[in-house]
Structure formats: structure tokens, C-alpha cells
Amino acid sequence: MNAMELAERNVGEDLDQLMNLDPRGYGVCRVLYPGARTYMGEPLAMKCAKRLKVVLGKDDIVYIITGFVLLPHKQAEMDGICGAMLLARMLAKAYNAKPVIVCPEECKMAVEKLANVVGLHMYEDFEQIRKYPISVGRVLFTKDVKEADAQAAKLMEQLPPKAVIAIEAPGANSKGVYHNAKGMDLSKLEAKTDILFQKCREAGIFNMAIGDLGNELGMGAIKEHLQKYVPYMEENGCVCGCGGGSAAAVAADAIITTTISHWGAEAVIAATAWLLACPELIHSKEMERDAIKTASSCGMVDMYGWLDNCIDGVDMQFHVTLLEMMRQCVVSNLEQFAKNAEWFEKVMEKQFFVSYR
């Protein structure tokens, strides 16, 4: 390990720790992270950011799958959609990539309005998505499992992706049933986007998933860990009677577990900003506030069902503060690397980081 590799590891550790702060104090993030870290082998957000840096270039299509519809109001939740759109902004700015949001009907207005907030033009026509820069595509995915395979195949043929990212998207269990946090059946409400995700994975396309519980698309990568330690995830642990538990079945090749999926997206944004030495890839605190307000005004609900400016029970100011802490971790490391390089070398002489994971 050299000084730059140590700096990368330190920033990655900082971002992972920040995205796993637990202000609600219910502990699930502390359960998920060890399983994810074992699976990934190094800091989660930084590893995903490095993979995106390798695979993405100008005009490359990136699917960003999101949109978890909740009971009782049958509206999509705040968590996922804001992070997806801010991630789309970063990918467009960093790589001139073409992000395409794949979501249920309930997110239609939010994608359009949030595109304005993050500075991207929004298109649904496939030719326009390919043609125009500084843009984001929108694809409304079916909730009919019988139609999902055909829609996925058509989308992959007409807009072949270089990467697919799921953030707070529903994932069916081994029985094909989608569950909420308390093990209730939501199958009729959810877009069947895990079918698209799995087809991309089988085609060898880089895939990553962000989740904060275990019922999200991609979290099947740590299914045994989920079933052992997270309520409702074990077989027969759900309350709907399907017998499969709430753990998602589809596995992603790369995963990020976090307290709130929104924070996982922002950690990837920050990690990319460090890798490219470009802190301006991290959006402003004003944009963070505007995104949250806009999503709420479009009918996106907090995890408890409220139409207010919260994501997963955490208020706007906490999200803004966390974003600023991530920014400072990136900026400070970039600014101080040269003056600290000699110290890094002396630390590494002590060999602690040879075996540290």
C-alpha cells in the first residue's frame, strides 16, 4: 500500500462511517454493514465509485432503478428518488454519461420536477435520450410480472447500458413476493424492476445496489446474513404467509448498505469527487434542500407516510449536515495530501495496513 492508496482507504472509511450513522438508533445499519463489508472486502462506496470510473465513458447509458411504493397510501417513498436524481447529475457531470431512471408510475412527476432541480433535461423518447447531452431519461417500468421480461429485453436492446444501479428499489424474495419492512406483501404495488436488473447482471453488465434493510433489490448478496440477524428476513419470517421471508433474492455484484439509502448514493458521489479530484461533483446544500422539498411536493412520502421534508424519519437539516461532512472529508483530504504524504509513509512502515481490511 502506498500513500495514495492509504488516502483512498481513509476517505472510503470516512464515507462508510458517515453513511452508517444511526440517528434513529434502531441498529439495523450496524447489522448490515459487517455482512456487506465481508462481501465487498473494502470500503463500500469507494469500491463502487472505482468500478463506475472504470466502466463509464462519454454517452454511456446507466440505468438507475428506484421507487419503493408503500402502504397505506400507495405512494412511492422519498428515500431512493432524491438520491437517484442527484446520482444522475453526478454521472452526467463526471463522465458525460446518460443516466436513465427506471421507476414505477408513482415516481413519474418526481423525476420530471427533480430533473429541473439537478440541472438535467428529461426525456422519455429513446432517440432523444441517446442524442441530447446534459440529460436524464425516464422509463416507467411495468408492475405486471408477465410483461416485465419483454419490457426489460426491449429496453436493453434499444438502450444498452454499461452499468445498472439500484437504489432503494423493491426486491422480490425467493417466492417472487415483495415485502415492506414489517413483512407485508406489496407485490401488486411494486414495479418488477428486479427482472431487468437480473437480466443486466446475467449479460455481464456492471451492477450495484444500495439498500438499508434487506428487502431491496440486490441485497440477496448477503441473504444468509439478513436471515440470521434482521427481523422478518428469515424463511417464514414474513407475515403474509408466503413462507419465503422478506429478504430480497436477487444479488448484486457490488452492494452498499447504509442507514438510509439516500446517504449511500451521496457517499458514492463524494467518493467519485475524491477519485477525480473534483469536489464540485458534490452538489450544494441548497440543491439538497430543494431536492427533498421537490420530491415531497410531488407526493413522495416519508417512511412513516408523512408528506413532509424528511427521508426515513430524519429531517432535512440532518441530511444537509451529513452532506457537508462528506464534502469536507473529500476536500480536506485532497488539500492536505501533499503535506501529509511523508507521515502516511511513516505510518505504513509500521505494517498495520498490510493486513487491515
Side-chain angles (χ1 to χ4, degrees):
M1 179 180 285
N2 59 35
M4 182 59 72
E5 290 169 337
L6 178 58
E8 175 193 293
R9 172 61 66 92
N10 287 337
V11 174
E13 297 285 7
D14 288 344
L15 296 175
D16 276 17
Q17 289 181 36
L18 285 172
M19 73 183 184
N20 280 288
L21 294 178
D22 192 11
R24 294 172 309 201
Y26 81 143
V28 172
C29 58
R30 311 287 189 216
V31 173
L32 298 179
Y33 187 78
R37 184 61 178 259
T38 298
Y39 181 74
M40 294 286 281
E42 59 186 272
L44 313 182
M46 185 63 75
K47 185 169 185 177
C48 287
K50 288 191 295 183
R51 289 296 307 277
L52 289 171
K53 183 175 182 286
V54 169
V55 302
L56 292 182
K58 188 176 186 299
D59 295 329
D60 284 341
I61 300 293
V62 183
Y63 298 162
I64 305 178
I65 300 174
T66 193
F68 213 127
V69 181
L70 302 181
L71 291 171
H73 302 287
K74 301 179 182 179
Q75 293 290 333
E77 68 170 318
M78 291 278 287
D79 193 20
I81 190 65
C82 292
M85 295 301 296
L86 292 164
L87 192 59
R89 170 191 177 274
M90 182 277 288
L91 296 173
K93 289 179 73 71
Y95 303 115
N96 290 309
K98 296 291 185 69
V100 177
I101 306 297
V102 183
C103 61
E105 174 75 23
E106 288 81 357
C107 294
K108 180 177 181 179
M109 183 187 300
V111 173
E112 182 175 345
K113 300 300 182 183
L114 283 167
N116 293 333
V117 171
V118 303
L120 299 176
H121 302 270
M122 198 281 295
Y123 296 102
E124 287 187 310
D125 181 84
F126 289 174
E127 289 188 12
Q128 291 176 321
I129 292 170
R130 284 192 296 265
K131 179 179 179 181
Y132 293 120
I134 319 173
S135 64
V136 60
R138 180 180 67 190
V139 173
L140 303 180
F141 207 79
T142 183
K143 296 184 179 185
D144 188 337
V145 68
K146 296 178 181 178
E147 297 176 0
D149 192 83
Q151 185 181 4
K154 180 180 179 181
L155 179 59
M156 291 175 66
E157 178 183 359
Q158 297 188 358
L159 285 176
K162 286 294 182 68
V164 55
I165 303 168
I167 170 171
E168 194 65 19
N173 69 2
S174 59
K175 307 284 187 179
V177 179
Y178 301 76
H179 295 85
N180 68 5
K182 294 186 177 181
M184 298 172 64
D185 185 352
L186 301 183
S187 299
K188 293 181 179 179
L189 301 180
E190 308 302 345
K192 306 303 183 284
T193 48
D194 44 358
I195 293 174
L196 171 64
F197 190 95
Q198 183 65 10
K199 287 178 76 71
C200 289
R201 189 181 187 220
E202 291 170 354
I205 296 162
F206 171 65
N207 58 91
M208 57 175 276
I210 304 172
D212 58 26
L213 184 66
N215 58 341
E216 302 92 0
L217 172 53
M219 295 300 110
I222 55 170
K223 184 178 178 180
E224 291 184 5
H225 186 78
L226 297 171
Q227 290 178 327
K228 186 174 182 180
Y229 294 115
V230 181
Y232 304 105
M233 297 292 159
E234 68 274 17
E235 290 187 11
N236 296 310
C238 53
V239 300
C240 72
C242 74
S246 298
V250 171
D253 291 340
I255 62 171
I256 292 175
T257 61
T258 172
T259 306
I260 299 173
S261 292
H262 181 75
W263 295 350
E266 297 198 322
V268 173
I269 293 169
T272 304
W274 185 88
L275 288 170
L276 300 182
C278 187
E280 56 267 32
L281 290 175
I282 304 173
H283 53 282
S284 68
K285 58 186 178 183
E286 291 79 15
M287 185 175 289
E288 177 85 356
R289 291 191 184 100
D290 288 346
I292 293 172
K293 290 178 181 178
T294 299
S296 180
S297 71
C298 291
M300 304 295 99
V301 296
D302 185 36
M303 65 183 292
Y304 303 113
W306 288 95
L307 283 165
D308 58 17
N309 297 321
C310 291
I311 302 177
D312 275 10
V314 176
D315 67 24
M316 185 190 300
Q317 187 54 49
F318 198 106
H319 295 292
V320 171
T321 300
L322 192 69
L323 173 70
E324 290 304 297
M325 292 176 71
M326 289 184 178
R327 187 195 316 281
Q328 289 307 313
C329 285
V330 170
V331 171
S332 295
N333 188 280
L334 290 172
E335 289 180 348
Q336 297 186 44
F337 175 77
K339 70 172 67 173
N340 290 324
E342 181 180 355
W343 178 253
F344 288 172
E345 296 291 347
K346 290 184 179 298
V347 169
M348 287 184 292
E349 288 175 6
K350 296 294 186 180
Q351 298 293 302
F352 174 81
F353 289 101
V354 171
S355 59
Y356 175 72
R357 293 189 63 174

